[in-house]
Amino acid sequence: MKALFLITLLFSTFLIFYKAYKNTEKAVLNKVKLPAFDSHQQQGPLLHILQISDMHIEKISIPPEQVYNKLAGEKIDLIALTGDFLDKKRTIPKLIPYLKVLQRLNVPYGIYVVFGNHDYVLKQNDFDMLQDVLEKHGCKILQNEHVAIYFEGKRVNIIGVDDFYTKRSNLQKSFSGLKEGYDLVLTHDPNIVLNMKNYHFDYLLSGHFHGGQIHWPKPYHLAKLGRTMVQMNMIKGLLYYDEKPFYISEGLGQTSINIRIGSRPEITLHQLSLNKIQKEDAQSGHLMYRELSDNTLPLPQ
């Protein structure tokens, strides 16, 4: 009887881990629409952003062609890569096929990159090699700095804030000399929003948490990455802090063990209206919704 129990337990454990591993093999394409317009004006130009975060090339189960097939035919104006590409020198060549796929999308306004805590694990020479590979494949790296693009006559400030987890963020430097426009922040660790009360942004893109990766029964292990945000249940998706919207991607790859429970690899398409948002609009749930594949779900306020 005891032997039968042990066999059943082992088989059940195997099935759980097998299913958890299979969860890493198919990415979900999430579509987020963030109308940010004055209710007394017409909706402004719509900027379409592809976000990919936390690729973790050492433990990624999504092949480059799956990424391309999910995105071919989608309208994409610019690409935001929000950190944690890899943490070992030997995997830098494995990043290149993914960068080539992104180049094949031919986005008109470029590819923008910020780094995450795992990228900074690399030795300086290896980190320089990673930077070189990214730049050779058309990526603009932002480390506490900003650039501007003009999209249908609207100025968009792309503000790259370096990694908060490794204490490399410098908000004053990132926002220094910023001119009036739509302020889009790219960063890796979303915990930085807790320190941005005095810094305006219209939208912020981040990653870092992997949606918990093993989100069962609760992602208690995330406490070391951000206890306050975990306590506020700010782990993934579209969220608000100080009435400002930000997004936490679940990421494309995994760390530690290559499984996911209660989370899936994510590719995200964001649609932004470039008319300035007003405070009363930021709290109006009917103005905002999230489209997951073919399903439209109401967003939490």
Side-chain angles (χ1 to χ4, degrees):
M1 192 68 179
K2 186 177 180 181
L4 180 60
F5 172 76
L6 288 174
I7 291 171
T8 303
L9 180 62
L10 288 171
F11 183 69
S12 299
T13 303
F14 170 78
L15 285 180
I16 290 170
F17 274 85
Y18 178 75
K19 174 63 176 173
Y21 171 73
K22 297 301 286 185
N23 285 344
T24 69
E25 293 186 334
K26 187 175 181 181
V28 174
L29 178 61
N30 286 344
K31 296 183 179 181
V32 181
K33 294 186 179 181
L34 186 73
F37 53 84
D38 184 331
S39 58
H40 301 293
Q41 297 179 354
Q42 291 184 342
Q43 182 166 278
L46 298 177
L47 180 67
H48 298 84
I49 302 172
L50 164 64
Q51 180 194 9
I52 295 178
S53 194
D54 297 83
M55 297 176 72
H56 292 289
I57 296 297
E58 290 83 8
K59 288 186 174 67
I60 189 170
S61 303
I62 309 298
E65 280 305 308
Q66 184 184 143
V67 175
Y68 181 79
N69 291 338
K70 280 192 172 290
L71 295 170
E74 296 284 354
K75 180 171 176 54
I76 303 170
D77 297 307
L78 67 84
I79 297 173
L81 305 179
T82 49
D84 273 8
F85 297 95
L86 45 85
D87 53 29
K88 292 180 174 60
K89 176 184 178 181
R90 60 179 170 79
T91 51
I92 293 176
K94 295 181 181 179
L95 174 64
I96 293 173
Y98 293 90
L99 299 176
K100 288 183 175 179
V101 156
L102 298 180
Q103 286 185 303
R104 284 169 58 192
L105 295 172
N106 293 317
V107 299
Y109 289 90
I111 305 172
Y112 300 88
V113 165
V114 290
F115 292 116
N117 53 299
H118 278 261
D119 304 312
Y120 285 116
V121 170
L122 292 167
K123 295 178 180 179
Q124 187 60 53
N125 287 344
D126 301 335
F127 183 76
D128 292 343
M129 184 186 303
L130 172 61
Q131 287 184 299
D132 186 57
V133 165
L134 289 164
E135 290 173 343
K136 283 182 177 177
H137 290 85
C139 298
K140 170 65 177 175
I141 296 169
L142 299 173
Q143 294 175 285
N144 295 319
E145 57 192 305
H146 60 264
V147 296
I149 62 170
Y150 285 86
F151 181 79
E152 297 186 16
K154 297 279 188 177
R155 180 186 175 99
V156 179
N157 297 313
I158 304 173
I159 305 158
V161 180
D162 213 348
D163 181 50
F164 181 77
Y165 186 81
T166 55
K167 297 179 171 52
R168 287 177 166 85
S169 298
N170 187 327
L171 288 169
Q172 185 175 358
K173 183 179 178 183
S174 300
F175 282 79
S176 178
L178 199 67
K179 295 181 179 179
E180 178 68 24
Y182 187 98
D183 296 333
L184 172 67
V185 175
L186 310 182
T187 195
H188 179 66
D189 183 354
N191 285 287
I192 196 158
V193 302
L194 305 178
N195 296 273
M196 295 183 72
K197 184 176 181 65
N198 297 322
Y199 291 90
H200 169 79
F201 61 82
D202 295 290
Y203 198 34
L204 180 147
L205 302 180
S206 64
H208 192 48
F209 289 162
H210 300 191
Q213 189 171 317
I214 302 175
H215 196 142
W216 184 88
K218 294 286 184 180
Y220 300 112
H221 57 284
L222 287 183
K224 66 178 182 180
L225 298 181
R227 184 177 299 277
T228 301
M229 298 199 81
V230 172
Q231 289 174 344
M232 293 189 295
N233 197 31
M234 290 185 168
I235 294 170
K236 61 183 178 180
L238 179 60
L239 301 160
Y240 289 83
Y241 189 77
D242 284 338
E243 300 181 355
K244 293 180 286 190
F246 67 101
Y247 193 87
I248 306 177
S249 167
E250 295 190 52
L252 197 61
Q254 293 71 236
T255 53
S256 299
I257 184 168
N258 196 19
I259 62 173
R260 282 184 181 259
I261 300 174
S263 68
R264 293 287 294 276
E266 177 180 7
I267 299 169
T268 319
L269 291 174
H270 302 267
Q271 178 182 286
L272 312 181
S273 171
L274 297 187
N275 275 352
K276 283 285 190 175
I277 192 167
Q278 294 185 344
K279 283 188 177 181
E280 59 268 25
D281 292 332
Q283 296 180 336
S284 300
H286 70 278
L287 286 179
M288 300 178 187
Y289 62 93
R290 180 181 183 184
E291 186 177 62
L292 301 180
S293 301
D294 295 325
N295 299 319
T296 301
L297 302 175
L299 282 172
Q301 297 184 39

